[in-house]
Amino acid sequence: MKNSNAETVRKLAAECTLFLKKDGSFPLDGPCSVALFGNGARQTVRGGTGSGDVYSKKVVSIDEGLRAAGFAVTTDYWLRRCALIRENARREWVARAKKQAKGISGYAGLMSMAVPEPEYDLGTDYPGDICIYVLSRQSGEGCDRKAERGDILLSETEVRDINALNARFERFMLVLNTGGPVDLSEVADAGNILQFSQLGPLSGDILADILLGKSIPSGKLATTWAAWGEYCSEGDFGDPEDTRYLEGIYVGYRYFDTVGKKPMFPFGYGLTYTDFSLGRPSVRVTGTEAAVSITVKNTGKYPGREVVQVYVSAPEGRLDQPCQALAAFAKTGVIEAGGSERVSLSFDMRDLASYDEDTASYILEAGDYIVLAGDSSADTKAAAVLELPETVTVLKAKNVLGNCGFRDWAPDVRLRPDPEGAKRIAVDPAAFTMETVCYELDEETGAFAESLSDEELCYVCIGDFSDKQFSIIGEASKTVAGAAGDFTTRLTGKGFPAVVTADGPAGLRLEREYYRDGKGLHNVNNDAITAFGEMLPDILFRILSRPKKIKPGTKIYEQNCTMLPAASAAAQSFDVSLAERLGRIAGEEMKEYGVDVWLAPALNIHRDIRCGRNFEYYSEDPLVSGKMAAAVVRGAQSAEGRRATIKHYAANNQETNRYSSNSLVSERAMRDIYLKGFGICVRESAPGAVMTSYNLLNGTHTASHSGLIRDILRCEFGFRGIVMTDWIVRMAMSGGKYELPLAWEVAAAGGDVLMPGSRRDYRTLLKGLRSGKVSRRQLEINATRMYSFAKRKKQ
Ligand code: BGC
């Protein structure tokens, strides 16, 4: 890592933060004495756990960052005691949980489990010019969050202390160091609440910069923050086998706005040090394109940036519609106090079309399309009414996603915005031409694949595996220490280059130190194991974390990758150029460390705030998710020969029983919500690869779902890259209702490579080929795609 990358993140990070509440007592004129409290003050959370983690060498907690900036922290005793109490509680909890864990899957389930926050009373009577309370939460792969105290709800200790401190200190700030929402209803009186998020290892420096006004929070919520009981509870969540997405399209603000519930902090909301006012928007329509422009004026005392949001309320006809849906957003540059900026945004009405299952097409129904502009979903004004005199079909497709077995829920009474005399603009239906998807794929096989034996063909379509060593994440790559896995290295002699894949999305997840010897590459610290290792059975942990016997004089190589803000934080910037810059950092470091394929970005929808991996994903809104992911892909792929992988395709919105949970989702909800961002991202950034997800969709594993892979991804979205599976590790199964997909099922559906690969998967594929379950031609097609992908890497 170049230090400058970490510094770039430090400079950009405040853009990803926002105030939920402010009373004008910040920023500060200079450092002062601070009464610092909260579980995140010393144990500041950099990001979530699991494959979305990045191992950092230098970590600056909030306590350290404030001290380094000249603040005098008055609560040393409290902070020490708090850390001790939490550490003891953690140890006891881990020991208890391990005793109760049954089988490998029981242990796997513990991997990212959040240790419940202990209750304690250490008093709050400490002096300080200001008071900062840092509240942290952490979650990760393999485990969902819980709507319990100490997780989504605040612990009793937190509620008591935050309220007491807010009442006692004139200048009090609650700093939220979380990857997703917590229920703030019990501390709603706090004068200042900063949604700081999880911004990587320099969090302490970043917060100091914000407090001193050196950098300015200018984000907006990309997901609704409500009291727990206010969220939509129509659908299932966390069911180990079948999870019905009964709420259909009413996800996030689409639910709140349509049923007329006011969440505590709505989607798109966020305050900064200064204040803004928005002028009267003007709207023009040319063909199918609507252009909106609006003046933003800085009416406060500080410089700042504002995010303008344009929503559209579509008319209801045969299809029910949410009250409004985001159609465009744009962030201003820095506007000085008293200054203003004219912002132009546009959207294509065709992108507003909804999927009609009855006619298997995307349609815009006749009626009034109310265009609204504002600075949050709850604060919008009608800018124009676009009148569409007749229903138009934008795209003729086909239903390919299977039967979910229910009709989506829809609210009985649905709110619609009042157009309040907004200008009416007639839209010419003739401007819309109907396109029809061609489902005939022009799939080629090339000389390379045709020349391979059956065995060789199977090697190409299975990730690289070693016969000698059980390949676990962190030690799976032969060429880059800590990378997640390689494509086959058995055919380099035949011209198939070695290709290395490494996780994200919070930067490159590689070992910090490694060495080489005659046997290959070895980790020094086993970062992946130490990150979650204490949850492993004791004996396994001891074996895996055994210090390496490294010969004196052995050269140790370092890999210092830059940890980026969590994706949920990056989305809050609402700034695609910032997202592209973050992607560029990952691309540069891929080049530096010899990684070819980045297993990021991840753009699953925040369907439920309990999803343990939401910090890796952007938003509850598909437009924000798609645009942000596209920007990150463009950034990463700007490094020559490097490719990004968008994941997890699709309907992967919970971690409970993640290998075999079956998401039951209607074709409309899939297309209008869960697939939409993937489509935007594919079209706007041409990612090199797509990773399918572990879960099933309507009874078929996404990894072997030809409707998802062939019909939608390749034929409808026009994807030209390779499709890989998520990391299917067969021993993680506990024999539940659904089996893992088989290698030949994946290949037959057009999935090009099953990752991370094992001899067992290889044998299954070969058997499938020999018994005619998958044709040789299909494998040649997949191998041809793999070959041209691998050849594009920079040698
Ligand atoms: C995760 C993926 C990740 C892969 C490789 C899987 O368990 O779901 O997001 O890319 O592991 O580490």
Side-chain angles (χ1 to χ4, degrees):
M1 162 195 74
K2 295 185 206 85
N3 278 335
S4 60
N5 284 346
E7 279 307 311
T8 303
V9 171
R10 175 174 173 176
K11 278 203 200 99
L12 295 176
E15 305 270 336
C16 308
T17 71
L18 55 110
F19 284 106
L20 293 171
K21 289 188 72 184
K22 65 167 184 178
D23 64 8
S25 40
F26 295 92
L28 304 166
D29 294 334
C32 55
S33 69
V34 51
L36 180 64
F37 296 92
N39 60 355
R42 281 214 171 145
Q43 289 149 312
T44 311
V45 176
R46 300 169 301 125
T49 58
S51 54
D53 195 1
V54 166
Y55 314 117
S56 319
K57 209 166 171 196
K58 180 182 168 206
V59 179
V60 182
S61 71
I62 285 178
D63 180 33
E64 290 164 331
L66 296 192
R67 286 173 202 261
F71 287 88
V73 176
T74 63
T75 44
D76 204 46
Y77 177 76
W78 194 100
L79 294 171
R80 253 188 296 127
R81 292 279 304 145
C82 171
L84 211 69
I85 291 170
R86 293 186 77 229
E87 179 53 21
N88 287 340
R90 193 185 60 81
R91 270 207 218 115
E92 280 169 26
W93 183 86
V94 170
R96 249 197 331 273
K98 278 164 71 166
K99 249 191 209 148
Q100 285 160 12
K102 288 199 185 76
I104 292 284
S105 58
Y107 280 100
L110 292 182
M111 206 169 86
S112 304
M113 225 174 223
V115 180
E117 277 300 319
E119 301 287 356
Y120 47 87
D121 190 352
L122 296 172
T124 50
D125 200 7
Y126 290 84
D129 295 327
I130 61 165
C131 177
I132 304 285
Y133 191 103
V134 186
L135 185 140
S136 294
R137 294 289 185 265
Q138 195 167 29
S139 68
E141 202 176 335
C143 193
D144 287 314
R145 297 179 63 198
K146 294 198 176 68
E148 289 175 359
R149 286 215 177 271
D151 193 344
I152 283 171
L153 306 181
L154 271 50
S155 73
E156 285 171 8
T157 304
E158 289 166 341
V159 173
R160 183 199 60 223
D161 289 354
I162 291 167
N163 286 331
L165 292 164
N166 179 52
R168 194 155 71 75
F169 281 88
E170 210 147 279
R171 288 192 285 178
F172 171 80
M173 187 188 288
L174 170 60
V175 174
L176 301 168
N177 174 215
T178 75
V182 286
D183 180 339
L184 293 170
S185 53
E186 292 176 286
V187 294
D189 286 341
N192 297 279
I193 305 180
L194 177 69
Q195 162 45 357
F196 181 70
S197 307
Q198 296 173 339
L199 302 174
L202 299 189
S203 294
D205 296 328
I206 295 165
L207 183 64
D209 291 345
I210 291 175
L211 294 178
L212 296 171
K214 290 184 184 165
S215 48
I216 293 180
S218 65
K220 298 279 177 178
L221 292 180
T223 283
T224 307
W225 280 51
W228 168 246
E230 292 175 349
Y231 285 100
C232 180
S233 57
E234 294 303 327
D236 303 337
F237 179 82
D239 297 68
E241 286 169 346
D242 301 301
T243 301
R244 295 165 306 160
Y245 288 36
L246 287 160
E247 73 286 0
I249 56 167
Y250 296 97
V251 176
Y253 69 89
R254 286 169 166 78
Y255 166 77
F256 281 94
D257 297 346
T258 311
V259 301
K261 260 196 208 176
K262 294 241 171 301
M264 283 186 82
F265 303 109
F267 173 85
Y269 169 85
L271 305 173
T272 175
Y273 284 135
T274 195
D275 297 302
F276 292 103
S277 68
L278 301 188
R280 262 188 88 79
S282 75
V283 181
R284 265 182 317 110
V285 175
T286 319
T288 62
E289 187 88 7
V292 180
S293 60
I294 190 164
T295 300
V296 180
K297 187 165 170 33
N298 183 341
T299 57
K301 292 193 300 204
Y302 302 98
R305 298 180 72 190
E306 175 62 302
V307 176
V308 178
Q309 301 153 49
V310 171
Y311 296 82
V312 173
S313 177
E316 292 196 295
R318 278 192 307 113
L319 302 181
D320 55 305
Q321 292 291 351
C323 171
Q324 56 179 355
L326 188 68
F329 60 89
K331 194 162 187 172
T332 65
V334 176
I335 308 178
E336 295 300 328
S340 57
E341 184 180 318
R342 187 89 181 150
V343 179
S344 303
L345 307 91
S346 65
F347 61 90
D348 192 320
M349 280 189 75
R350 287 175 301 182
D351 296 332
L352 307 178
S354 303
Y355 192 73
D356 174 26
E357 293 176 16
D358 290 348
T359 58
S361 49
Y362 287 86
I363 60 171
L364 286 161
E365 294 203 76
D368 289 351
Y369 288 77
I370 307 169
V371 180
L372 304 124
D375 59 5
S376 95
S377 62
D379 199 359
T380 54
K381 285 204 181 61
V385 178
L386 312 185
E387 296 171 2
L388 186 65
E390 60 193 62
T391 297
V392 293
T393 299
V394 171
L395 186 71
K396 198 99 195 82
K398 67 180 184 187
N399 295 331
V400 292
L401 296 177
N403 184 2
C404 64
F406 54 81
R407 276 186 79 78
D408 286 348
W409 170 85
D412 294 336
V413 181
R414 278 161 268 170
L415 287 193
R416 267 212 100 191
D418 181 356
E420 287 172 10
K423 179 169 116 181
R424 300 187 77 83
I425 303 173
V427 178
D428 180 5
F432 297 84
T433 45
M434 186 183 85
E435 286 176 29
T436 303
V437 180
C438 166
Y439 290 99
E440 292 300 308
L441 263 184
D442 192 10
E443 294 182 307
E444 289 170 5
T445 69
F448 167 77
E450 286 163 11
S451 75
L452 300 179
S453 66
D454 285 357
E455 288 79 1
E456 288 168 334
L457 211 43
C458 292
Y459 282 131
V460 177
C461 299
I462 298 286
D464 204 36
F465 56 90
S466 157
D467 291 327
K468 289 191 207 102
Q469 185 196 332
F470 169 56
S471 138
I472 51 162
I473 290 177
E475 290 200 352
S477 168
K478 287 186 187 138
T479 26
V480 178
D486 297 341
F487 294 164
T488 192
T489 52
R490 290 167 206 258
L491 297 172
T492 44
K494 290 214 159 189
F496 187 90
V499 173
V500 179
T501 73
D503 268 308
L508 280 193
R509 185 173 178 249
L510 300 179
E511 278 290 308
R512 281 169 304 157
E513 291 179 332
Y514 71 94
Y515 63 95
R516 290 177 187 283
D517 63 15
K519 292 191 194 132
L521 198 69
H522 309 278
N523 298 338
V524 171
N525 305 299
N526 278 331
D527 288 327
I529 301 301
T530 37
F532 66 85
E534 67 170 351
M535 297 302 192
L536 292 170
D538 293 339
I539 170 105
L540 194 58
F541 181 47
R542 269 203 299 278
I543 297 172
L544 293 174
S545 59
R546 250 194 321 241
K548 299 275 163 61
K549 286 187 194 123
I550 306 173
K551 270 205 207 119
T554 305
K555 182 164 171 44
I556 307 290
Y557 298 89
E558 285 196 11
Q559 304 181 122
N560 288 322
C561 301
T562 306
M563 188 173 194
L564 308 174
S568 61
Q572 288 175 175
S573 73
F574 276 77
D575 183 348
V576 286
S577 62
L578 178 145
E580 192 164 333
R581 183 72 194 90
L582 298 181
R584 277 216 304 279
I585 290 177
E588 280 167 24
E589 294 184 8
M590 281 161 82
K591 246 174 131 170
E592 187 171 344
Y593 297 120
V595 171
D596 307 299
V597 185
W598 191 33
L599 303 175
L603 65 151
N604 297 92
I605 291 289
H606 293 173
R607 169 179 179 246
D608 190 301
I609 62 166
R610 286 170 292 178
C611 174
R613 290 186 89 173
N614 274 357
F615 73 95
E616 291 187 60
Y617 309 148
Y618 296 103
S619 170
E620 66 188 22
D621 180 78
L623 182 76
V624 175
S625 305
K627 292 274 179 194
M628 286 292 159
V632 169
V633 170
R634 282 195 300 272
Q637 294 192 165
S638 67
E640 211 181 350
R642 315 293 140 171
R643 290 280 164 273
T645 309
I646 58 173
K647 67 186 188 184
H648 309 90
Y649 185 74
N652 185 183
N653 307 94
Q654 71 178 39
E655 287 300 291
T656 307
N657 189 25
R658 64 190 190 135
Y659 293 102
S660 53
S661 92
N662 181 21
S663 302
L664 295 166
V665 198
S666 72
E667 183 108 14
R668 177 175 180 205
M670 278 305 291
R671 289 167 172 277
D672 283 8
I673 305 286
Y674 298 99
L675 295 177
K676 194 165 179 162
F678 283 96
I680 293 170
C681 183
V682 167
R683 293 190 182 106
E684 293 193 0
S685 66
V690 168
M691 183 193 289
T692 53
S693 49
Y694 285 132
N695 57 285
L696 300 91
L697 171 65
N698 297 331
T700 305
H701 268 286
T702 60
S704 53
H705 202 305
S706 69
L708 272 176
I709 297 172
R710 245 189 217 119
D711 298 327
I712 296 190
L713 185 62
R714 295 198 194 281
C715 298
E716 294 186 23
F717 296 166
F719 177 67
R720 293 279 168 270
I722 58 156
V723 175
M724 69 176 84
T725 66
D726 199 344
W727 264 228
I728 296 173
V729 185
R730 279 176 206 282
M731 68 172 220
M733 283 300 292
S734 61
K737 181 167 167 187
Y738 300 104
E739 291 304 321
L740 288 173
L742 297 173
W744 59 262
E745 291 173 328
V746 171
D752 301 309
V753 60
L754 189 146
M755 293 300 287
S758 65
R759 175 148 296 277
R760 185 162 154 193
D761 291 319
Y762 163 77
R763 284 207 191 104
T764 308
L765 185 57
L766 194 58
K767 218 160 143 193
L769 173 61
R770 291 194 170 140
S771 62
K773 296 242 168 56
V774 56
S775 66
R776 184 170 157 108
R777 180 173 153 75
Q778 182 62 53
L779 281 188
E780 283 179 7
I781 290 169
N782 300 353
T784 302
R785 278 193 288 253
M786 290 293 288
Y787 181 67
S788 42
F789 181 90
K791 289 300 267 188
R792 280 174 71 174
K793 85 170 237 185
K794 188 84 191 137
Q795 299 295 329

